[in-house]
């Protein structure tokens, strides 16, 4: 075996590995996992919005309670 045969085999192995990764990435079985992973950057935003909404509601309740105490 000379060096050119080894280079040819290495190229063939690299091509098969590349096509395997492409097939894996675009297979329909992986779509759900990739959709979930694609939504991860937005998960923190949704959590922060929920926390801000809870904090605003809590602040409003505290404000209402203090107004009730002052009126009594």
């Amino acid at each position: 075996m000379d060096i050119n045969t080894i280079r040819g085999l290495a190229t063939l192995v690299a091509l098969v590995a590349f096509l395997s990764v492409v097939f894996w990435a675009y297979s329909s079985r992986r779509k759900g996992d990739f959709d979930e992973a694609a939504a991860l950057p937005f998960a923190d935003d949704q959590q922060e919005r929920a926390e801000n909404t809870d904090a605003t509601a809590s602040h409003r309740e505290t404000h209402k309670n203090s107004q009730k105490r002052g009126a009594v």
Side-chain angles (χ1 to χ4, degrees):
M1 257 208 262
D2 65 339
I3 190 71
N4 289 325
T5 305
I6 294 172
R7 288 178 182 165
L9 290 174
T11 302
L12 182 63
V13 168
L15 177 66
V16 169
F18 175 77
L19 291 176
S20 299
V21 169
V22 168
F23 178 74
W24 171 80
Y26 286 101
S27 69
S28 60
R29 291 186 298 163
R30 305 294 305 172
K31 183 169 176 32
D33 294 335
F34 288 137
D35 288 342
E36 182 181 339
L40 283 176
F42 305 110
D44 290 340
D45 292 342
Q46 291 173 352
Q47 184 179 3
E48 286 176 10
R49 284 186 195 140
E51 288 172 357
N52 287 342
T53 303
D54 291 344
T56 303
S58 175
H59 178 72
R60 287 181 182 155
E61 276 297 315
T62 304
H63 185 66
K64 284 181 185 177
N65 290 339
S66 65
Q67 284 179 342
K68 287 179 184 177
R69 279 187 246 129
V72 175

